[in-house]
Amino acid sequence: MHNDDHNEGQHAVTRRHVVSGSLGLTAALAAGAVGATGTAPAGKRPVPVAGTFLWGTASSAHQIEGNNVNSDFWLAETVKPTLFREPSGDACDSYHRYEEDAALAAGLGFNAHRFGIEWARIEPEPGRFSEAELDHYVRVLESCHKHGLAPMVTLSHWTVPRWFAARGGFENAESPAQFERFAKKVAERLGPLMSAATTFNECNIGRLAQFLFHLDTPEAKAGVKAMLDACAKASGSDRFANVLLGDLAKSEANMVEAHRRAVAALKAGPGDFPVGLTISMQAIEGVGDSNKASAVADLLYGPWLDAAKVCDFVGVQTYTRIRVGTEGPLPPPDGAEKTGAGYEFYPQAVGNTVRFAAERIGKPIYVTENGIATDDDTRRVAYIDGALNALQKAKADGIDIRGYFHWSLLDNFEWTAGYSQKFGLVAVDRKTFVRTPKPSARHLGGIAKQRRSL
Ligand code: FCB
């Protein structure tokens, strides 16, 4: 380690699932529940993405690595009261098993790998960067190249260092500069090994959470406040803030600025790769005359689609649809099939969202997340087929879709839902960490192997 700077729903699911995916936000909350030089080694240049359709899986650092002890989420999972069903603990131990995961993904047939690097490990104290952890991620990136996977790296997938949260997170006016410092360090050391990068994962998650699940009710606020107060107390702070559950009015403009600066840092080199932003985009479908669908789409996605204009591409992340009537969101139709995360089984939603994103911004699109929580793998296969079918039609209509990343390779830590929701193509034994591919893994991997494009 060296020191750079000393100064430096109403129709949702079960209790506690406050932050399980962008959509697993809970009604219960609403009810008050509480070495390297930066130069890629010869022969290990990043797989170029131009002209290649990327078939991959997506993950985040916190959800698979395990023991992310310097992060704000680790603290939130372990304080009392907490909204988390269980702590992340060892997760999938991918911090040690990244090579096995890359080999597995490549063996299944994928040519790309989306994952996160963990800011809390890389900069465990303000301005103190860990060379050893940067080296770790150099090795992770190299293992992708070794197995022929193009790495798409997420800089920030919801978790932040504890010190950053304890200073108010993105509610702090200094946060854009702090994020930029991190992004510059990452660009210098890891940039030459990246095939693509994104700044924030689902930057608009706060908007979705408020709109769908009424996080602004007194009961919801009390539940979140109790947990964040406990985090503040544990870290000696009077303004501990979480990226998902904080005050949007104070944080969003700072996040937009942090994103803008991070894009510039990544584009400045020494790497040379496309940079994007991922947005949680569920298909918004209007029901009835004078429904509010279009206003809702503007509210949920508009500002962040604007922020993506500085990017090379948009990452679209879709799991279901949201039906909107004249008063606001409606529950799924009677009798509709629900996924294990409580929302409607509606794989064709992604066809609508890529069209919407393309119309609004006119940039190339990667589907950076799409998937289903289920214990019945045959429904995952059906979901994949439905989604790919919808994407094929969109592509035939001229939408510039450059890749599909399925959430997720492994059954992993699904935020407040803990390990109860299974989004993986591959099962993970919670004690031995042994990975066992499900039939859906062979199904999607087989498609990836056979098809050069959708
Ligand atoms: C998305 C999140 C991802 C995962 C999936 C199920 O909203 O980006 O981390 O939780 O949902």
Side-chain angles (χ1 to χ4, degrees):
M1 200 184 270
H2 76 246
N3 201 344
D4 270 359
D5 170 12
H6 292 277
N7 298 324
E8 192 4 6
Q10 65 200 27
H11 46 268
V13 243
T14 44
R15 248 177 138 255
R16 288 172 177 253
H17 292 185
V18 186
V19 194
S20 59
S22 56
L23 294 176
L25 298 160
T26 179
L29 177 67
V34 263
T37 59
T39 307
K44 296 205 174 141
R45 294 281 163 196
V47 181
V49 295
T52 306
F53 189 87
L54 300 187
W55 288 105
T57 57
S59 65
S60 81
H62 188 72
Q63 290 173 275
I64 62 168
E65 285 183 347
N67 299 300
N68 186 16
V69 298
N70 279 319
S71 73
D72 62 332
F73 269 71
W74 181 274
L75 182 60
E77 291 157 18
T78 44
V79 291
K80 286 203 174 78
T82 181
L83 296 166
F84 286 81
R85 180 191 167 107
E86 58 192 316
S88 51
D90 287 325
C92 304
D93 193 31
S94 291
Y95 184 81
H96 300 108
R97 293 166 200 257
Y98 59 87
E99 171 89 40
E100 183 184 340
D101 292 346
L104 178 59
L108 287 168
F110 297 107
N111 66 358
H113 210 44
R114 174 175 180 245
F115 60 92
I117 52 170
E118 188 57 59
W119 184 8
R121 294 188 197 274
I122 293 174
E123 192 182 355
E125 287 177 37
R128 293 180 71 90
F129 287 90
S130 166
E131 295 302 325
E133 295 292 359
L134 284 161
D135 282 349
H136 167 80
Y137 287 112
V138 166
R139 290 191 292 273
V140 174
L141 282 152
E142 284 178 344
S143 81
C144 290
H145 302 312
K146 183 171 151 198
H147 294 284
L149 298 171
M152 178 183 279
V153 175
T154 313
L155 255 53
S156 172
H157 196 125
W158 299 356
T159 46
V160 298
R162 256 186 218 206
W163 63 261
F164 180 82
R167 292 175 175 202
F170 286 102
E171 293 172 19
N172 179 346
E174 288 170 22
S175 58
Q178 291 163 345
F179 192 64
E180 180 183 27
R181 178 176 61 189
F182 163 63
K184 280 186 169 160
K185 192 62 146 181
V186 167
E188 277 163 24
R189 286 292 304 280
L190 306 177
L193 292 162
M194 292 181 188
S195 294
T198 61
T199 56
F200 288 117
N201 177 72
E202 296 191 346
C203 45
N204 62 328
I205 181 72
R207 283 179 175 255
L208 265 141
Q210 285 193 356
F211 171 76
L212 275 181
F213 302 110
H214 306 287
L215 292 190
D216 47 359
T217 63
E219 296 82 2
K221 280 185 171 162
V224 170
K225 187 173 180 308
M227 181 176 74
L228 294 182
D229 281 353
C231 291
K233 196 170 166 207
S235 49
S237 157
D238 58 355
R239 51 185 177 149
F240 195 95
N242 174 284
V243 80
L244 304 173
L245 304 171
D247 183 343
L248 268 191
K250 292 188 192 150
S251 64
E252 200 172 50
N254 288 331
M255 280 183 73
V256 171
E257 176 61 11
H259 156 72
R260 200 188 58 74
R261 292 188 190 202
V263 171
L266 291 164
K267 296 303 285 183
D272 183 12
F273 48 86
V275 176
L277 174 68
T278 84
I279 305 181
S280 173
M281 294 188 76
Q282 312 316 317
I284 308 288
E285 290 190 12
V287 178
D289 293 340
S290 15
N291 65 69
K292 297 207 174 100
S294 146
V296 166
D298 284 342
L299 173 80
L300 299 182
Y301 314 137
W304 283 103
L305 280 167
D306 283 346
K309 286 186 178 144
V310 297
C311 295
D312 301 309
F313 68 90
V314 186
V316 170
Q317 311 205 156
T318 304
Y319 288 85
T320 189
R321 67 172 168 178
I322 301 171
R323 299 162 76 243
V324 178
T326 44
E327 303 299 324
L330 298 168
D334 286 345
E337 178 181 349
K338 310 262 185 63
T339 70
Y343 39 80
E344 188 183 353
F345 178 94
Y346 199 72
Q348 59 270 48
V350 71
N352 300 354
T353 52
V354 295
R355 287 171 198 268
F356 179 80
E359 274 158 28
R360 289 295 284 266
I361 186 168
K363 300 256 178 195
I365 289 169
Y366 288 92
V367 175
T368 41
E369 283 185 27
N370 177 248
I372 172 178
T374 181
D375 292 334
D376 175 357
D377 198 51
T378 63
R379 298 315 291 150
R380 192 178 336 274
V381 170
Y383 187 93
I384 290 168
D385 287 346
L388 294 184
N389 190 25
L391 288 171
Q392 270 170 354
K393 289 188 186 140
K395 190 161 176 159
D397 288 343
I399 308 297
D400 185 2
I401 308 166
R402 307 219 174 158
Y404 174 84
F405 291 82
H406 190 80
W407 185 277
S408 185
L409 182 66
L410 307 175
D411 284 339
N412 60 46
F413 179 70
E414 183 47 32
W415 308 110
T416 51
Y419 294 96
S420 65
Q421 294 180 6
K422 311 236 178 292
F423 277 90
L425 297 169
V426 175
V428 178
D429 185 290
R430 298 254 20 91
K431 285 212 170 73
T432 63
F433 307 109
V434 166
R435 278 89 162 118
T436 308
K438 304 174 190 176
S440 57
R442 311 256 179 242
H443 180 70
L444 182 57
I447 291 173
K449 231 184 267 180
Q450 283 155 21
R451 297 192 202 159
R452 300 197 75 150
S453 182
L454 278 165

